[in-house]
Amino acid sequence: MLFTDHAHPAWRANALGTYRFWRVAGVLADALGLNATLVAAAVLTAASGLLAARWITEHRPGTR
């Protein structure tokens, strides 16, 4: 049973996402080391932010 089974339904998706992120980060830390894991998390976070910013500006309602 996952801890997310005990989470309130309104924030269960966030709890599951956080759990999965840290599980993957743990696997990366075991395989590559802590420094490489932190760099990978930083790069992925920056890349997702840039992609989101680009998508939001390209698809803003009322603009061409």
Side-chain angles (χ1 to χ4, degrees), residues 53-64:
R54 181 178 173 157
W55 184 81
I56 289 169
T57 57
E58 287 181 355
H59 294 91
R60 183 178 295 161
T63 61
R64 292 182 185 229

Side-chain angles (χ1 to χ4, degrees), residues 16-61:
L16 184 58
T18 301
Y19 169 76
R20 287 183 178 167
F21 170 79
W22 286 112
R23 185 173 65 179
V24 171
V27 170
L28 281 176
D30 285 343
L32 305 175
L34 186 58
N35 288 335
T37 301
L38 291 175
V39 170
V43 168
L44 290 173
T45 301
S48 67
L50 291 172
L51 286 173
R54 181 178 173 157
W55 184 81
I56 289 169
T57 57
E58 287 181 355
H59 294 91
R60 183 178 295 161

